[in-house]
Amino acid sequence: MQCLAQLTPPTAVTHAVSLPFLSSSANNLVIAKTSLLQIFSLKSIITEAVDAPTEASTIKNGTQARTPRSKGLRRERVQTTKLVLVAQYDLPGTITALGRVKLLHSKSGGEAVLVALKDAKLSLIEWDSERYCISTISVHYYEREDIQASPWVPALSQCVSYLMIDPSSRCAALKFGARHIAILPFHQAGDDLVMDDYDTVTIPDQIKKGKSNLKLTNGDLHAPTPYKSSFVLSLLALDPSLMHVVHLAFLYEYREPTFGVLSSRVAVSSGLLHDRKDILCYTVYTLDLEQRASTTLLSITDLPYDLHTISPLPLPIGGALLIGCNELIHVDQAGKTNGIAVNEFGLENTSFKLPSQSELGIRLEGCAVEQFGSPNGDILIILNSGQLAVLHFRVDGRSVSGLLVRIVSEESGGKVLLAGASCTASVGRGRLFIGSEEADSTVLGWGSRLTKLKKQRSSVQFDAVAEATFSDLENDDDDDDMEDEDDLYYVDKTNEEKLPMPVASSAEQNMEEYIFQIHDSLANFAPLSDLTLVNAKTASIGDSPVAPDLVPRYELIASTRLGRASTLTKLKPAISPQVSSRHDLANVHGVWSMAAKIPSSNSDDPTMNAGYSDEYDSLIITSIVDDNGEGQSHAYAVSGGDFTELSESDFDSSAGATVAVGALDGGKRIVQVLKNEIRTYDDGKCVQSFHIPSVVAKKLQKYSTRPLGESSHMCESGERQEAASFNHGIVVSDSLYDWLQTEENQKSTNILFHSINESFVPIVFVDNVHYLSLAQIYPMSEDPTHDDPKVVGASFAEPYLLLLRDDSTIVILKADDAGELEEVESQSMLAGGKWVSGSLFDDSNDVFRLESNEEDMDDEGGSILLFLLNIDGGLLIFKVSNLRRPVYTAPGLSFLPPFLAEDFTIRRSTARDVLVEILVTELGDDVSKAPYLLLRSFNQEIIIYQPFQSITSGISTSQLRFLKISTPKVSKVISDEASDNYAWPKQRLQAVNAIDGYSAVTVSGVSPVLILKSASSLPQTVAIDLEDVRSFGGFHGSDCKRGLIYVDNKGVVVTASLPRNADYSTGWVNESLFCGENIGAFMYHAKTNLFVLGVSREATFKLAEDELHPEWANEEASLLPTIEQSSIDLFSSISRAVVDSYALDPTEIVLCMQIISLEVSEHTHARRPLIVVGTALIGGEDTATKGRIYVLDIIPVVPEPSSTETTSYKLKLITKEEVKGAVTAISGIGSEGFMLVAQGQKCMVRGLKEDGTCLPVAFLDMQCYISVAKELPGTGLCVLGDAAKGVWLVGYTEDPYHLRLFGKSAEHVEVIAAELLPDGKELYIVAIDADGVMRILQFDPHNPKSLQGQRLLHLSSLNTGAYPTKATLLPSVSVGLSPSSDSMEIDPSSYSTAMSSRMLLASRTGSLSLISSLTPSAYRTLAAIQTHLINTLSHPLGLNPRAYRAAEADNLVGGRAVLDGDVLKRWGELGSWKKADGLSRAGVEEWDLRGLLRGVVEVGL
């Protein structure tokens, strides 16, 4: 009994389409990532660029590297396009195509999207602006048995499907199966004019009488559905010659729907090229949708055999572009052809007349094309390597006379892409979205200049022209883009050199030169090629320390992406804060940090302002509560990484415990909220703190006129000028003073140095802190008594302060112009209400669009909104400028519905969630921020709502509603003992405005969480690797920039920052460690803290000389094939560099790699972890493949004199043995330090001898190549998988040495990944094939159906929806427990079978899944919940989760089905009343269910 749950979503973009989706005027991008549908809007950010980039560079997060500005260049505006995610949907299906359809009517006024899914399914969706989500119009299935009844016809899953849509949206066509096409017509304006019984006078009467299929809505006449009935045709019925269809696509500029088909009568074969050279035919057909017939317009035969794609071209070119592997051919509407050969094989492999550009030497396999949108019709070609090229058409009049291809130079951005494109979509003039499955998907922008009109400029001027052109040509809203391009370039001609014009052909002179630049990118971690686990407690991966009390035990390292984009990535389910400093300040319960606001100085002397900064936080306030409940507060000055308590200030530590701290009056007034009073402090006075290290003070004593042993000297702001004249307040002798004055380069820094014994040591640290001057004490009552209500929470919004008291009442204060706090008069509704929590929010962007009352005052607080949560769980929103009545009420908030509106009610249910806290704040990054409503329940669940304006058809005004954001993370179940150990504060949701560029929210408690959002992702709830946190806050200091400050469970104050360059878009923390070369296999060497990489790079391949094949020596091709050339590298994650490399032969490829504890001595039986690498020697298709086994060790060596590292390492070869056949799999086996090697068609157990040879001791004849070999550590049981026969279970014994077959699978399975999954006393085998179907097999010799164990029992099958790459068994440690071993290596004993086992499954789509074993009781409970969720939730695109997961399988023995964790993760989407219904059906309490869900949807490393 198992459960499969997706931990991270797929990241590889497979399809994309651009259209106005959200409204008729919107510009949206809809992309598909296998089973994930995302909708983006495009946002333009205009920045001022002083300088132009010297080379094509990437703009990300609104910033770009700059070079010094050249004289004579003007300041330009750069318009950068960013992607902002609107919505995303996890689909129970695999998307195969996307298309845009323009309907006569839609809910939003925009266009619709037609989604094609695997196995001939179509879903037509539109945007529902009333519910702010997609709406499924229709679902179409074409899986009838009579269509696929022929026994020799291949299955639908084995056939390639094409979705094509007529450019005028008259119909869509889906080619599916071997030779079938489904036509889906759409209603068009004027369709009813052809009806025989059409009568404009009688149609309304016919509608009333029900005699017409049309309906009248808002005075408009339209059909009840936007489509007509579809029909299926056989391609052979259209034309008997369409036996083998290569590609088909609809064409532009035809009166009727017209499409072109590229086909042949016989199958294309490169091996039969001499007989099937030019066999393709391009035919154009026009469709008659009424008669369901077609007419042939033109046919062109004898086309090259390697054509594979039809690209329709709109005006001004028209026709179609046929793309082959070696040539490009254009066919116009009259059938005239023009082509170009782009390499030498374009002429040799065809008799078709083609002009040659063979000197280009480019390969067009897997390329993508997209029009620039320019008047000349140029086309951008994206090669499979990521190289950019431009196709130019020579036009004579209105006819194309020739083609010309030009490679884009690297200086113009020709290599900005690291991999080829899987899809493209034009998102505006000068902008193109390029999806990729091997690298990050990007938004590419370009500008152009005519080379025949411009002179050649110097390099600096050329770069400036590039950016000026790029910035000006990208503005879609600018109508002046078509003006003379001379206005786009400004160059100081007085300094311009007179250079001669370059010699070029006339065609090249007429071509536009394009300059490319990346605007934005979507992170991609696909494919996940290899995985390994690292002990996180002892290993040091990265360059920053982490908190010593972190929860995780293991880290997951994966090789991601391919080619030049290949990266070694650290994947973590939670954030490990990188600690900057720790301060034991005696049992702190709360902490707040503030930034200094230093008065400006009019002095122009740089020494006067040295050390003064208004950026870094300089004040820390802590709250302490002792065991008796008595509280104190302390203020500390921040000095570098040290905290020094303020002794000379008006801050009173004995005033009580601090509840909250904020700033008002533009940050000039610090507000300290206590339980009984409010204190405000003026920061008009400032202090400089000077710290002298004692060691340095002793050595510099002779220079000073006063003792330097004093640790600090304080001076008020009025003494700044005097202090500066004595060198920042330190009275020194003339000799030291003169030396400090001569160090000009150190005056502007905060650290001063002096040379002692030819080395620089720090002398003085200069920092700024507040001198807290008490400005006001505002008591909560005139006569304070012990029974007065106490303040338990606060919320700030300039100039207001909201106070929440323990008697469920609120008080609102306002700061006047002088900064003094005054109470705002409370109305009867506020004064008499009982409130659980509240939050202030400044809606300056008018996102909520709440109507103003007539009594509203036009003052500075008009945009401030007050959100209150009453004791009944209802939401009330007030405008602070008028508190007489709420402007919005939602009494049903505590039901937590998916869509929250004012009129939402549940009449027959009392199942409400108990809400205890509310917070309204902005989430986002520098690109996009938006307000969100966050709630915390009594069960410590975090609920996030997104406000939106609901637009109903026929209503001019919009209504405010809230959309519930799905958060698949399940909060930790807290026991009663743990919850009573500490009195948690009432406010645990804390907004942090600037943490590593994010506006985020921290959640303190036993399960601390960081909620953040990037522009291209939804709000992500990311756990923090800490046991529990008492208080959170933001901190910005010199040693911890834009980080966090928190109080751990021991009362220690810690400052820490987020991991550097981490990505959180998947809900996990992804950190890239290495990039540049394709990583085929890798392992982590724990002893040296190094990674061993099997990297490969492309190299040309030429057949070697052979006596039996003398013709090989006569090969004269210049465009040689490429092959991977591998090497074994040592990579350090600390220095992020390759330490050593071991080169392999030119045709040798690394296939597998393991670090195995091998026996290195037959006498002492000593063992040592060694690197075992299996390779393959590829010599061509006519040469037998050989393999090699390498055993290497890592030894320390003396580093180079120029190296800064104290220890260096090298690879040492111990043995190298050549074997017959490729070495495809390696694994450790047994307990004596041997290894299992799959070489050729045999599996051998080998041991390392004293002389360095690998002696075979046992073998098993497999009769096929093995793709997977895994051992259950310490047991001798191995699972072997191959692509022909299926799964093998073998056992190894050591006395005598013997490899024995225990059992085999009953059916032949193409095994790609497999793993042993023990569960108590049961042994399961998980095997995944190339179609993504996962099979659960069991070895049970006691079952009669197993034939005494010879046949592995097939229990169940499940469709994973992705191509697998690797399966890895996880150590069986429960969440919250530490591993049993403290060594740097993973202890095999941690793979205990006492607890339920789990395994990770990686895929080519970038998704990571978890397979968990369940107990019978847990399985029954989760199965009941899954059934309830499937029947209750709405499923996007009208898909069926059961049908998606179902997989056809033979020889099943009646095992239980694998549960779908993706459905179980949606438990949080239910409202409270539906949750109560599901819990009653399953017969379980919510606490127990949350524990079960957390076990199956979280990895808990």
Side-chain angles (χ1 to χ4, degrees):
M1 294 168 286
Q2 292 79 24
C3 177
L4 174 70
Q6 192 178 82
L7 299 176
T8 61
T11 57
V13 176
T14 56
H15 305 87
V17 62
S18 176
L19 75 163
F21 189 59
L22 270 62
S23 65
S24 58
S25 59
N27 185 13
N28 300 115
L29 176 70
V30 180
I31 67 173
K33 299 178 178 179
T34 310
S35 60
L36 182 67
L37 187 71
Q38 292 183 321
I39 303 170
F40 291 89
S41 62
L42 282 85
K43 180 179 180 180
S44 296
I45 298 178
I46 299 178
T47 58
E48 296 231 335
V50 178
D51 316 301
T54 58
E55 59 182 8
S57 58
T58 300
I59 298 179
K60 194 171 185 179
N61 295 330
T63 61
Q64 174 182 301
R66 298 294 179 189
T67 55
R69 185 180 182 184
S70 302
K71 184 178 179 180
L73 297 183
R74 66 177 180 178
R75 187 181 297 269
E76 297 289 348
R77 292 190 309 166
V78 177
Q79 184 177 13
T80 305
T81 301
K82 298 291 184 179
L83 296 176
V84 179
L85 182 65
V86 176
Q88 73 176 26
Y89 303 92
D90 290 307
L91 305 179
T94 302
I95 299 176
T96 59
L98 296 175
R100 57 183 293 183
V101 179
K102 187 175 182 179
L103 304 178
L104 292 179
H105 301 275
S106 65
K107 294 182 178 180
S108 65
E111 299 183 6
V113 176
L114 187 62
V115 183
L117 298 110
K118 191 177 180 181
D119 297 340
K121 297 183 183 70
L122 291 177
S123 291
L124 185 63
I125 61 174
E126 63 179 345
W127 183 256
D128 188 352
S129 56
E130 183 177 356
R131 297 176 65 86
Y132 203 74
C133 64
I134 61 174
S135 174
T136 304
I137 299 176
S138 60
V139 183
H140 307 268
Y141 292 84
Y142 302 99
E143 300 173 337
R144 293 188 337 205
E145 295 183 357
D146 56 342
I147 297 178
Q148 300 290 324
S150 180
W152 53 81
V153 173
L156 287 176
S157 59
Q158 299 177 358
C159 300
V160 179
S161 298
Y162 299 107
L163 175 66
M164 52 180 185
I165 299 178
D166 178 59
S168 300
S169 297
R170 291 167 290 195
C171 68
L174 175 68
K175 185 266 176 184
F176 65 97
R179 299 177 185 90
H180 284 88
I181 184 171
I183 307 297
L184 178 62
F186 297 103
H187 284 291
Q188 300 294 312
D191 281 351
D192 298 307
L193 295 178
V194 300
M195 297 173 57
D196 295 336
D197 58 347
Y198 179 78
D199 187 353
T200 57
V201 179
T202 60
I203 276 185
D205 297 333
Q206 293 176 7
I207 295 175
K208 294 179 181 180
K209 296 178 181 179
K211 296 181 180 180
S212 175
N213 291 329
L214 306 179
K215 65 179 181 179
L216 197 64
T217 303
N218 298 327
D220 296 330
L221 185 66
H222 59 85
T225 60
Y227 56 88
K228 304 177 184 178
S229 60
S230 62
F231 54 93
V232 177
L233 297 176
S234 173
L235 290 175
L236 297 179
L238 295 178
D239 193 334
S241 64
L242 300 179
M243 292 292 296
H244 299 274
V245 175
V246 178
H247 196 242
L248 67 167
F250 276 104
L251 304 178
Y252 291 90
E253 306 303 327
Y254 281 93
R255 187 179 299 272
E256 297 294 336
T258 304
F259 63 94
V261 181
L262 194 61
S263 64
S264 64
R265 289 183 176 272
V266 295
V268 176
S269 174
S270 300
L272 300 175
L273 188 59
H274 61 280
D275 189 40
R276 303 179 183 180
K277 194 172 186 179
D278 297 326
I279 61 173
L280 292 184
C281 176
Y282 174 70
T283 311
V284 178
Y285 302 92
T286 182
L287 283 176
D288 188 342
L289 299 179
E290 297 295 333
Q291 302 298 326
R292 300 186 178 183
S294 65
T295 304
T296 303
L297 297 183
L298 62 89
S299 180
I300 301 174
T301 59
D302 300 332
L303 292 174
Y305 83 102
D306 59 349
L307 296 176
H308 53 77
T309 303
I310 301 174
S311 179
L313 301 179
L315 294 178
I317 302 301
L321 181 67
L322 308 183
I323 305 172
C325 298
N326 308 302
E327 64 280 321
L328 297 168
I329 299 176
H330 175 261
V331 182
D332 63 10
Q333 293 184 351
K336 179 184 176 182
T337 60
N338 290 276
I340 190 75
V342 296
N343 56 51
E344 57 187 291
F345 297 107
L347 300 177
E348 295 180 3
N349 297 336
T350 181
S351 300
F352 195 84
K353 299 294 184 180
L354 291 173
S356 175
Q357 268 190 294
S358 58
E359 67 278 2
L360 296 176
I362 60 177
R363 300 173 172 88
L364 298 179
E365 295 94 338
C367 72
V369 298
E370 190 72 33
Q371 279 198 322
F372 282 103
S374 56
N376 56 13
D378 285 355
I379 290 180
L380 175 65
I381 303 176
I382 306 170
L383 302 181
N384 195 30
S385 62
Q387 174 66 53
L388 303 181
V390 177
L391 173 63
H392 176 71
F393 295 92
R394 297 191 189 98
V395 180
D396 294 337
R398 300 183 63 182
S399 176
V400 176
S401 61
L403 281 68
L404 183 64
V405 178
R406 178 176 57 84
I407 301 295
V408 180
S409 64
E410 185 174 358
E411 292 76 12
S412 298
K415 293 185 177 181
V416 293
L417 302 180
L418 299 179
S422 60
C423 58
T424 59
S426 177
V427 292
R429 189 169 185 268
R431 293 168 291 179
L432 177 67
F433 174 78
I434 302 175
S436 177
E437 297 183 75
E438 300 177 357
D440 291 349
S441 300
T442 59
V443 176
L444 186 68
W446 64 83
S448 64
R449 66 187 182 101
L450 292 174
T451 58
K452 72 173 185 177
L453 296 178
K454 306 300 173 186
K455 295 182 179 180
Q456 185 176 358
R457 293 165 170 85
S458 64
S459 59
V460 175
Q461 293 169 341
F462 176 81
D463 292 334
V465 171
E467 182 169 347
T469 309
F470 170 78
S471 61
D472 285 336
L473 285 182
E474 285 186 319
N475 192 350
D476 291 334
D477 300 330
D478 191 359
D479 296 333
D480 298 332
D481 284 339
M482 304 302 296
E483 293 182 0
D484 187 5
E485 296 190 14
D486 288 335
D487 296 336
L488 299 177
Y489 311 109
Y490 175 80
V491 179
D492 189 358
K493 297 185 178 181
T494 59
N495 298 328
E496 183 179 357
E497 298 181 5
K498 301 298 182 178
L499 298 177
M501 282 289 293
V503 179
S505 63
S506 59
E508 291 178 346
Q509 289 181 356
N510 290 325
M511 290 183 65
E512 286 188 88
E513 183 175 350
Y514 298 90
I515 298 139
F516 298 90
Q517 196 170 24
I518 292 179
H519 286 203
D520 198 6
S521 61
L522 298 179
N524 176 32
F525 303 98
L528 291 172
S529 303
D530 200 1
L531 298 174
T532 189
L533 287 173
V534 175
N535 194 319
K537 283 289 185 179
T538 52
S540 178
I541 306 220
D543 51 1
S544 298
V546 296
D549 54 346
L550 294 183
V551 174
R553 292 147 300 279
Y554 300 103
E555 288 183 346
L556 186 64
I557 311 297
S559 59
T560 59
R561 307 184 182 102
L562 292 177
R564 292 189 297 143
S566 185
T567 307
L568 202 64
T569 305
K570 179 166 60 174
L571 308 175
K572 299 178 60 179
I575 297 174
S576 297
Q578 299 174 353
V579 174
S580 301
S581 61
R582 299 176 63 87
H583 310 273
D584 192 356
L585 304 180
N587 197 23
V588 177
H589 281 212
V591 62
W592 297 266
S593 64
M594 304 294 294
K597 297 295 182 181
I598 305 301
S600 60
S601 175
N602 296 325
S603 175
D604 296 331
D605 187 1
T607 60
M608 293 293 297
N609 296 322
Y612 282 77
S613 172
D614 60 351
E615 296 181 359
Y616 295 149
D617 291 350
S618 57
L619 177 66
I620 298 295
I621 296 178
T622 62
S623 176
I624 299 176
V625 179
D626 56 20
D627 297 337
N628 299 325
E630 300 296 331
Q632 289 185 346
S633 299
H634 296 274
Y636 297 87
V638 180
S639 176
D642 299 329
F643 293 172
T644 304
E645 186 170 2
L646 293 182
S647 57
E648 300 180 8
S649 67
D650 294 340
F651 190 86
D652 186 5
S653 300
S654 61
T658 301
V659 176
V661 176
L664 295 176
D665 193 18
K668 298 178 181 179
R669 281 289 174 95
I670 297 176
V671 181
Q672 180 191 15
V673 180
L674 303 174
K675 292 184 178 181
N676 298 312
E677 61 186 17
I678 312 299
R679 294 192 170 209
T680 62
Y681 298 92
D682 191 357
D683 64 349
K685 296 183 179 182
C686 64
V687 163
Q688 282 191 304
S689 176
F690 306 94
H691 301 273
I692 305 174
S694 58
V695 177
V696 179
K698 293 179 181 179
K699 295 183 179 181
L700 299 180
Q701 186 64 52
K702 60 180 180 179
Y703 289 105
S704 180
T705 58
R706 61 189 291 272
L708 290 179
E710 300 179 11
S711 61
S712 63
H713 171 69
M714 312 294 287
C715 62
E716 295 186 0
S717 59
E719 302 174 338
R720 286 182 60 186
Q721 185 174 358
E722 180 182 357
S725 63
F726 288 94
N727 189 47
H728 303 287
I730 298 179
V731 183
V732 297
S733 62
D734 294 339
S735 57
L736 179 58
Y737 181 78
D738 294 339
W739 174 84
L740 291 171
Q741 294 299 320
T742 58
E743 296 294 327
E744 297 293 336
N745 61 333
Q746 297 180 12
K747 288 182 180 179
S748 59
T749 63
N750 287 345
I751 303 177
L752 304 178
F753 294 89
H754 183 63
S755 177
I756 299 179
N757 296 330
E758 298 182 353
S759 61
F760 285 91
V761 295
I763 296 178
V764 183
F765 295 83
V766 184
D767 291 282
N768 301 298
V769 299
H770 283 279
Y771 178 78
L772 296 180
S773 175
L774 184 63
Q776 181 187 8
I777 298 179
Y778 186 91
M780 297 306 300
S781 60
E782 295 182 359
D783 260 341
T785 63
H786 183 72
D787 297 331
D788 289 340
K790 304 296 189 297
V791 177
V792 294
S795 179
F796 294 85
E798 187 79 31
Y800 292 96
L801 169 61
L802 170 67
L803 302 176
L804 181 68
R805 296 188 288 191
D806 56 3
D807 62 346
S808 300
T809 60
I810 62 171
V811 176
I812 302 176
L813 304 179
K814 179 183 178 182
D816 57 15
D817 296 338
E820 298 292 328
L821 293 178
E822 298 177 354
E823 183 175 355
V824 178
E825 181 182 357
S826 298
Q827 304 302 321
S828 59
M829 186 173 187
L830 287 178
K834 296 295 183 180
W835 313 106
V836 176
S837 181
S839 178
L840 292 174
F841 178 73
D842 187 0
D843 189 20
S844 57
N845 296 325
D846 197 21
V847 176
F848 292 89
R849 300 183 189 175
L850 295 173
E851 295 182 359
S852 301
N853 299 325
E854 295 180 358
E855 299 86 356
D856 283 351
M857 295 178 294
D858 186 14
D859 58 5
E860 57 182 350
S863 63
I864 307 298
L865 300 179
L866 171 62
F867 293 79
L868 291 178
L869 184 67
N870 61 23
I871 59 175
D872 296 327
L875 172 67
L876 289 85
I877 305 178
F878 294 83
K879 280 202 169 184
V880 181
S881 57
N882 186 354
L883 298 174
R884 290 183 176 85
R885 64 182 180 90
V887 292
Y888 186 87
T889 58
L893 175 62
S894 59
F895 287 105
L896 302 180
F899 293 91
L900 178 64
E902 286 188 281
D903 54 354
F904 175 81
T905 55
I906 297 295
R907 299 179 180 179
R908 299 182 180 180
S909 177
T910 59
R912 294 173 176 262
D913 270 25
V914 180
L915 303 178
V916 297
E917 188 175 357
I918 185 174
L919 174 66
V920 180
T921 186
E922 286 188 337
L923 296 177
D925 54 12
D926 296 335
V927 176
S928 174
K929 296 179 183 179
Y932 287 86
L933 172 67
L934 290 87
L935 302 169
R936 182 172 62 89
S937 69
F938 177 77
N939 296 330
Q940 307 308 317
E941 285 188 276
I942 305 300
I943 303 97
I944 304 176
Y945 277 95
Q946 177 185 1
F948 70 94
Q949 297 297 323
S950 176
I951 303 175
T952 306
S953 177
I955 300 178
S956 58
T957 59
S958 61
Q959 297 178 351
L960 174 64
R961 292 186 178 182
F962 293 86
L963 173 66
K964 191 177 183 181
I965 303 298
S966 176
T967 53
K969 298 293 179 66
V970 182
S971 59
K972 184 183 296 183
V973 179
I974 307 173
S975 63
D976 295 337
E977 294 80 4
S979 60
D980 294 338
N981 288 338
Y982 175 70
W984 296 103
K986 186 176 182 61
Q987 287 185 313
R988 293 164 64 177
L989 301 177
Q990 178 67 40
V992 184
N993 292 328
I995 170 172
D996 198 21
Y998 294 97
S999 293
V1001 172
T1002 58
V1003 184
S1004 57
V1006 177
S1007 182
V1009 166
L1010 179 65
I1011 303 173
L1012 44 76
K1013 178 189 181 300
S1014 64
S1016 58
S1017 70
L1018 293 178
Q1020 302 292 342
T1021 303
V1022 186
I1024 301 178
D1025 288 337
L1026 297 171
E1027 293 183 357
D1028 54 65
V1029 174
R1030 297 181 179 181
S1031 176
F1032 262 124
F1035 181 78
H1036 181 47
S1038 58
D1039 60 337
C1040 180
K1041 297 181 179 180
R1042 302 302 178 192
L1044 289 172
I1045 186 169
Y1046 63 90
V1047 182
D1048 62 12
N1049 57 345
K1050 298 179 181 179
V1052 177
V1053 178
V1054 182
T1055 61
S1057 58
L1058 298 184
R1060 185 180 62 179
N1061 298 326
D1063 179 85
Y1064 309 94
S1065 59
T1066 62
W1068 278 38
V1069 185
N1070 304 315
E1071 301 177 56
S1072 297
L1073 301 177
F1074 176 75
C1075 181
E1077 292 182 330
N1078 192 29
I1079 304 174
F1082 78 98
M1083 290 298 296
Y1084 175 72
H1085 195 269
K1087 187 176 181 180
T1088 59
N1089 194 25
L1090 296 173
F1091 286 96
V1092 186
L1093 310 179
V1095 301
S1096 61
R1097 59 196 64 85
E1098 285 191 356
T1100 58
F1101 175 76
K1102 189 172 184 179
L1103 292 173
E1105 296 183 2
D1106 194 306
E1107 295 179 356
L1108 300 179
H1109 300 277
E1111 69 276 7
W1112 291 358
N1114 299 325
E1115 187 177 12
E1116 298 179 354
S1118 59
L1119 185 64
L1120 296 174
T1122 59
I1123 191 173
E1124 292 184 357
Q1125 182 176 349
S1126 297
S1127 64
I1128 304 172
D1129 294 350
L1130 279 183
F1131 173 73
S1132 172
S1133 63
I1134 305 299
S1135 62
R1136 298 179 184 264
V1138 175
V1139 177
D1140 190 25
S1141 181
Y1142 183 87
L1144 303 180
D1145 286 352
T1147 60
E1148 193 171 6
I1149 303 173
V1150 174
L1151 297 181
C1152 52
M1153 178 186 298
Q1154 288 290 330
I1155 294 182
I1156 306 174
S1157 180
L1158 294 179
E1159 184 181 277
V1160 295
S1161 174
E1162 299 177 87
H1163 305 292
T1164 63
H1165 301 288
R1167 298 172 66 172
R1168 189 163 70 246
L1170 299 177
I1171 306 164
V1172 184
V1173 181
T1175 66
L1177 290 162
I1178 301 176
E1181 58 186 11
D1182 296 331
T1183 305
T1185 300
K1186 298 180 181 180
R1188 285 176 182 166
I1189 303 172
Y1190 291 85
V1191 180
L1192 303 101
D1193 194 9
I1194 302 177
I1195 59 174
V1197 296
V1198 178
E1200 297 290 337
S1202 58
S1203 177
T1204 58
E1205 298 184 0
T1206 58
T1207 306
S1208 183
Y1209 296 94
K1210 293 288 184 181
L1211 285 170
K1212 177 185 177 181
L1213 179 64
I1214 295 179
T1215 182
K1216 178 177 72 172
E1217 184 169 340
E1218 187 170 313
V1219 297
K1220 293 182 179 180
V1223 180
T1224 56
I1226 292 175
S1227 174
I1229 192 169
S1231 60
E1232 294 186 355
F1234 289 172
M1235 56 183 169
L1236 177 66
V1237 180
Q1239 54 185 70
Q1241 299 184 10
K1242 291 182 175 60
C1243 283
M1244 289 191 177
V1245 178
R1246 292 176 174 267
L1248 191 63
K1249 296 181 64 177
E1250 297 279 357
D1251 58 357
T1253 60
C1254 293
L1255 177 65
V1257 297
F1259 79 96
L1260 185 64
D1261 193 358
M1262 307 297 296
Q1263 300 179 0
C1264 56
Y1265 278 84
I1266 296 299
S1267 58
V1268 179
K1270 294 289 185 67
E1271 186 212 15
L1272 188 63
T1275 64
L1277 292 175
C1278 294
V1279 59
L1280 306 176
D1282 62 84
K1285 295 189 176 182
V1287 182
W1288 312 55
L1289 179 65
V1290 300
Y1292 169 71
T1293 59
E1294 296 169 343
D1295 190 15
Y1297 297 120
H1298 183 58
L1299 201 58
R1300 178 185 174 185
L1301 176 63
F1302 284 169
K1304 296 174 58 177
S1305 58
E1307 57 182 329
H1308 292 178
V1309 181
E1310 187 180 355
V1311 178
I1312 302 299
E1315 186 60 272
L1316 290 164
L1317 187 66
D1319 185 12
K1321 296 182 179 181
E1322 305 293 335
L1323 180 61
Y1324 299 97
I1325 300 174
V1326 180
I1328 307 96
D1329 62 13
D1331 295 327
V1333 176
M1334 181 181 69
R1335 292 169 172 82
I1336 305 297
L1337 309 174
Q1338 183 184 13
F1339 175 68
D1340 186 6
H1342 301 291
N1343 193 314
K1345 296 182 180 180
S1346 68
L1347 303 179
Q1348 297 181 353
Q1350 297 181 22
R1351 175 177 295 180
L1352 298 176
L1353 301 178
H1354 187 181
L1355 300 182
S1356 60
S1357 296
L1358 182 81
N1359 178 29
T1360 62
Y1363 184 91
T1365 55
K1366 189 172 182 179
T1368 301
L1369 183 65
L1370 293 177
S1372 295
V1373 287
S1374 61
V1375 177
L1377 298 179
S1378 300
S1380 58
S1381 175
D1382 294 331
S1383 63
M1384 296 185 70
E1385 296 184 4
I1386 298 176
D1387 187 2
S1389 63
S1390 62
Y1391 293 90
S1392 173
T1393 59
M1395 300 180 60
S1396 298
S1397 300
R1398 300 176 300 165
M1399 59 173 286
L1400 288 176
L1401 179 63
S1403 69
R1404 287 190 60 87
T1405 63
S1407 63
L1408 193 66
S1409 301
L1410 177 68
I1411 303 172
S1412 305
S1413 297
L1414 301 174
T1415 62
S1417 60
Y1419 181 89
R1420 288 190 295 268
T1421 300
L1422 294 178
I1425 295 298
Q1426 175 180 299
T1427 303
H1428 176 70
L1429 290 172
I1430 292 177
N1431 297 333
T1432 304
L1433 292 172
S1434 61
H1435 305 290
L1437 277 64
L1439 301 177
N1440 187 354
R1442 290 192 182 97
Y1444 172 62
R1445 293 301 187 184
E1448 296 182 1
D1450 300 329
N1451 303 312
L1452 287 174
V1453 296
R1456 293 187 176 182
V1458 180
L1459 296 181
D1460 189 356
D1462 292 346
V1463 175
L1464 296 174
K1465 286 192 304 182
R1466 301 182 63 186
W1467 172 256
E1469 298 181 19
L1470 295 178
S1472 60
W1473 74 99
K1474 292 185 178 180
K1475 284 184 178 181
D1477 187 18
L1479 293 173
S1480 63
R1481 292 175 183 269
V1484 66
E1485 297 293 333
E1486 184 176 3
W1487 289 97
D1488 297 332
L1489 178 61
R1490 287 174 58 191
L1492 294 176
L1493 291 177
R1494 184 177 174 85
V1496 299
V1497 303
E1498 294 191 10
V1499 63
L1501 287 175

